[in-house]
Amino acid sequence: MTMRFQGTEAYVATEDLTVAVNAAVTLQRPLLVKGEPGTGKTELARQVAQALGLPMLEWHVKSTTRAQQGLYEYDAVSRLRDSQLGDERVKDVRNYIRKGKLWQAFEAEGRVVLLIDEIDKADIEFPNDLLQELDRMEFFVYETGETIRARQRPIVIITSNNEKELPDAFLRRCFFHYIRFPDMETMRRIVAVHFPQIKDAVLTTALTQFYELREQPGLKKKPSTSEVLDWLKLLLAEDLSPEDLKREGTSLLPKLHGALLKNEQDVHLFERLAFMARRQQGR
């Protein structure tokens, strides 16, 4: 049976995104998803698993993560300690091998979705160290002399925030998709999933302010989808009307802007612009 992803009630997937997911599934290649932080890359993997009715394994990569940890880790220190204590466990080396997420995905009874989240956080060699394992869907365990092969090829979704360039050899093995920031109409659909009760006039005013803020030249960190959802939640909690959202005087900052702007440079940018606007009016 062919598995096809069409999005879910809780996740608005654009047509090009659903095409990318289904192409990666058909080709049996990892889907590499890039995009701004907060555009739903990690959530995509969870929604694909839910839509296709598959279990999910999540491997969240950090700056200290090594590729080997995704396969397995051998705890030689514990084995040495147990041997000194005369523990019977030392006779079987398997007692000291901790299976990684790839091993768990390979040995699963059925197909699973494997998320490798924020691969660009790790060392530059990290993607290269996984090339063969993701390509051949097998790896060798030196301590036991066995080869672990995937019973069924997992659906692999890899996310990147573009903090580092990924190696060409790794990119060749992936199907690539860049999640563009949602346009106004797509954002309305996303908001409708989370806040179906929001009044259209409030939403129009809020999103107009949001996109004006995002498009301001010189902004260091543009607010993301997750941040606009937080902001709208606050606006609803305060029960603000479109009139309440009007900016006072020459202030260019929207109400409760702390949910949208996350560093002092960007706040200062809008304060400077407001100061310049006041000077222009005073002339």
Side-chain angles (χ1 to χ4, degrees):
M1 184 182 70
T2 304
M3 292 182 170
R4 293 198 65 78
F5 174 68
Q6 300 294 342
T8 68
E9 289 183 4
Y11 189 90
V12 175
T14 56
E15 184 180 353
D16 58 343
L17 179 56
T18 59
V19 167
V21 171
N22 292 317
V25 172
T26 300
L27 293 172
Q28 296 191 331
R29 288 188 178 275
L31 173 63
L32 174 62
V33 185
K34 289 188 178 182
E36 290 180 33
T39 47
K41 299 184 297 297
T42 302
E43 187 60 25
L44 170 66
R46 297 176 183 139
Q47 296 299 325
V48 168
Q50 181 183 320
L52 301 182
L54 299 177
M56 180 171 169
L57 294 169
E58 301 186 27
W59 184 15
H60 298 284
V61 177
K62 301 177 182 177
S63 59
T64 55
T65 304
R66 294 175 293 106
Q68 180 65 31
Q69 292 171 308
L71 309 179
Y72 69 93
E73 290 183 279
Y74 169 54
D75 192 349
V77 174
S78 292
R79 194 181 188 199
L80 175 61
R81 185 190 63 229
D82 288 350
S83 69
Q84 292 169 341
L85 297 172
D87 195 316
E88 286 293 309
R89 285 163 35 90
V90 298
K91 294 179 181 177
D92 188 351
V93 69
R94 288 176 177 80
N95 290 325
Y96 302 93
I97 289 178
R98 184 163 57 246
K99 297 175 182 179
K101 297 296 182 181
L102 262 74
W103 189 330
Q104 294 172 39
F106 286 5
E107 73 173 4
E109 291 291 336
R111 203 170 194 188
V112 302
V113 173
L114 172 63
L115 168 66
I116 304 177
D117 197 30
E118 299 191 324
I119 194 170
D120 52 325
K121 278 190 175 178
D123 183 86
I124 190 63
E125 289 304 317
F126 181 94
N128 280 334
D129 291 342
L130 289 176
L131 283 180
Q132 298 303 321
E133 289 77 10
L134 289 175
D135 205 23
R136 298 179 182 176
M137 287 288 152
E138 65 177 42
F139 62 90
F140 186 70
V141 183
Y142 294 95
E143 289 77 9
T144 63
E146 62 185 325
T147 298
I148 306 299
R149 293 186 179 87
R151 293 180 181 179
Q152 292 200 52
R153 198 174 185 101
I155 296 172
V156 181
I157 297 179
I158 303 168
T159 72
S160 168
N161 287 328
N162 251 351
E163 291 182 13
K164 293 191 188 84
E165 284 296 318
L166 298 172
D168 289 345
F170 180 80
L171 295 174
R172 280 198 301 272
R173 287 165 169 82
C174 297
F175 190 92
F176 172 75
H177 182 74
Y178 184 86
I179 297 183
R180 292 180 179 84
F181 194 82
D183 59 22
M184 180 87 80
E185 190 52 44
T186 304
M187 186 65 81
R188 281 180 172 275
R189 290 166 55 205
I190 292 170
V191 172
V193 169
H194 296 270
F195 308 114
Q197 78 281 18
I198 194 167
K199 292 185 175 69
D200 189 63
V202 173
L203 181 58
T204 299
T205 302
L207 288 185
T208 300
Q209 290 188 9
F210 170 72
Y211 279 97
E212 286 174 355
L213 186 146
R214 256 189 69 87
E215 291 161 12
Q216 176 60 49
L219 206 61
K220 184 177 180 182
K221 183 195 176 301
K222 293 183 177 183
S224 68
T225 306
S226 60
E227 285 157 345
V228 74
L229 291 175
D230 284 347
W231 184 52
L232 290 171
K233 186 176 182 179
L234 287 174
L235 299 185
L236 286 171
E238 295 289 329
D239 196 23
L240 299 180
S241 68
E243 290 71 31
D244 295 328
L245 292 178
K246 287 181 180 175
R247 292 165 228 184
E248 298 170 1
T250 55
S251 175
L252 300 176
L253 288 167
K255 295 278 174 63
L256 300 166
H257 63 267
L260 298 173
L261 299 177
K262 299 302 177 73
N263 62 63
E264 63 277 13
Q265 294 100 310
D266 288 343
V267 174
H268 291 161
L269 169 65
F270 282 93
E271 288 173 344
R272 285 198 304 274
L273 291 170
F275 174 72
M276 290 167 64
R278 285 195 297 271
R279 287 187 62 183
Q280 290 284 345
Q281 289 181 358
R283 287 181 179 176

